[in-house]
Amino acid sequence: MSTVTYSVSIDPDEEGFIGRECPECEKYFKVVPGTGIVGEGDIPCICPYCGTQAPSDHFWTQVQLEYARSVAVGHLVGEFTKSLRRLERKPDPRAFLSIGIKVEGKPVPIAYYREVDLEQRLTCDNCTLQYAIYGVFGYCPDCGSHNSLQILLNNLRLVDQVLALAETADAEIGRKLIESALADCIAAFDGFGREVATVNSNRAAKPKQAASLSFQNITAAAEAVETLFGVKMSEPLSDSEWEQLNRCFQKRHILAHRMGVADQKYVERSGDDPGLIGHKVSITAAEVEEFASSLGKVASHLATALRPSAR
């Protein structure tokens, strides 16, 4: 029995993306064909969410498969109908008894679909693949590198823009923008740290503890990372730079929870001047700029040491 094969094209959407669906976790993402790794043969695809790696033809979405089936069945039915119509004939009016044959058929409806809009679009720093995912963090579907450091550095660059705005604003608004930039730095670093620790938790001494790490307190986080992963977070910084990094974390805590008024705990944890107790602490644009730079160095060191990648 012969097999009939039909080729069905899956076209990208108006922005050049084609949908993909993981065969393992069944989550949806999109890629732009022609970006990323280019080479001979079929390059495996990697799920940005769970890290599953499989041949690219395992990642068709269900709606794409339904569309392809409807097109193929439509072709098959159309060809079969054409063959039957060759047998059509009209009754012979001269004959006492004559039978006519009339072939009728409806075209098979095509299961058209649209690709879904996603929340995060990225161009991989490592292989230049353009892809889109739900959420924020994930693996590159081509090279498998994790985007956690890229996301953090992008956020730190946005902080530079906020600081630039602070320079042109009046004093009060400028102060608020600087404090906001400090908080944004820590929030971005905390998100980065949690993600890196989670995706590498299977390599930690205590995986469950690693998967629940917080990076809001830099000294506590550093102690935990060294205990769980054997990585010293302060390594890329000098002692004075690390002290200043910690001081900025403590200032953010005081600004967020005590309206900026220093207390004994702040002085003990930050190493700042005891004379500040009862007074409001301040943060300058220069401090936040240096802080963001130091965070980038620490994050790059941590990402390189752990190097989260898909399985």
Side-chain angles (χ1 to χ4, degrees), residues 18-299:
I18 284 184
R20 310 259 68 195
E21 184 178 291
C22 176
E24 183 68 24
C25 69
E26 300 182 347
K27 291 184 179 179
Y28 176 85
F29 60 101
K30 296 194 294 188
V31 301
V32 176
T35 64
I37 297 175
V38 178
E40 297 291 331
D42 187 27
I43 298 168
C45 188
I46 297 164
C47 175
Y49 307 107
C50 69
T52 293
Q53 180 172 316
S56 61
D57 61 3
H58 286 45
F59 283 81
W60 297 117
T61 69
Q62 291 305 305
V63 292
Q64 289 169 345
L65 292 174
E66 289 173 13
Y67 166 75
R69 288 189 194 103
S70 69
V71 172
V73 170
H75 278 297
L76 183 61
V77 170
E79 291 298 319
F80 184 62
T81 303
K82 283 182 183 179
S83 298
L84 289 179
R85 280 179 178 153
R86 296 191 187 102
L87 303 175
E88 284 187 334
R89 67 186 181 190
K90 294 181 179 180
D92 187 348
R94 298 169 298 176
F96 174 72
L97 179 63
S98 179
I99 298 175
I101 299 175
K102 177 69 174 176
V103 177
E104 294 183 355
K106 294 181 179 180
V108 175
I110 303 301
Y112 291 106
Y113 69 95
R114 287 182 61 84
E115 300 294 1
V116 180
D117 289 333
L118 296 177
E119 299 159 352
Q120 181 74 47
R121 297 185 183 185
L122 290 154
T123 298
C124 178
D125 280 347
N126 187 49
C127 73
T128 72
L129 177 75
Q130 295 176 38
Y131 63 102
I133 58 175
Y134 287 115
V136 176
F137 298 112
Y139 302 104
C140 170
D142 257 15
C143 68
S145 61
H146 201 269
N147 68 10
S148 49
L149 180 61
Q150 180 180 352
I151 294 293
L152 172 63
L153 296 180
N154 286 344
N155 277 279
L156 294 181
R157 282 190 282 270
L158 289 176
V159 166
D160 288 338
Q161 296 178 31
V162 173
L163 294 177
L165 286 175
E167 291 181 359
T168 62
D170 63 48
E172 184 63 18
I173 294 176
R175 180 179 65 81
K176 287 291 185 183
L177 286 172
I178 293 170
E179 292 177 1
S180 176
L182 175 65
D184 289 347
C185 282
I186 293 176
F189 183 78
D190 183 48
F192 158 82
R194 287 174 184 269
E195 184 68 14
V196 170
T198 298
V199 298
N200 287 282
S201 60
N202 62 323
R203 298 161 58 183
K206 296 180 179 179
K208 287 185 178 180
Q209 186 177 338
S212 61
L213 273 182
S214 169
F215 287 75
Q216 291 278 340
N217 183 318
I218 194 66
T219 54
E223 290 173 3
V225 167
E226 188 163 6
T227 299
L228 295 170
F229 294 102
V231 176
K232 188 174 182 179
M233 285 175 54
S234 62
E235 187 173 323
L237 302 181
S238 66
D239 289 345
S240 61
E241 287 173 330
W242 182 256
E243 289 170 5
Q244 180 59 23
L245 186 78
N246 174 58
R247 188 171 295 117
C248 285
F249 268 87
Q250 297 303 324
K251 284 188 176 184
R252 198 279 317 170
H253 181 80
I254 286 294
L255 289 166
H257 301 291
R258 286 185 51 83
M259 298 295 290
V261 178
D263 58 6
Q264 184 65 38
K265 285 184 178 179
Y266 165 76
V267 170
E268 291 173 355
R269 293 172 180 174
S270 69
D272 216 336
D273 183 1
L276 285 174
I277 295 176
H279 297 270
K280 290 189 70 173
V281 300
S282 61
I283 186 80
T284 66
E287 282 182 282
V288 176
E289 187 175 358
E290 180 185 350
F291 179 63
S293 175
S294 293
L295 280 181
K297 293 176 183 177
V298 171

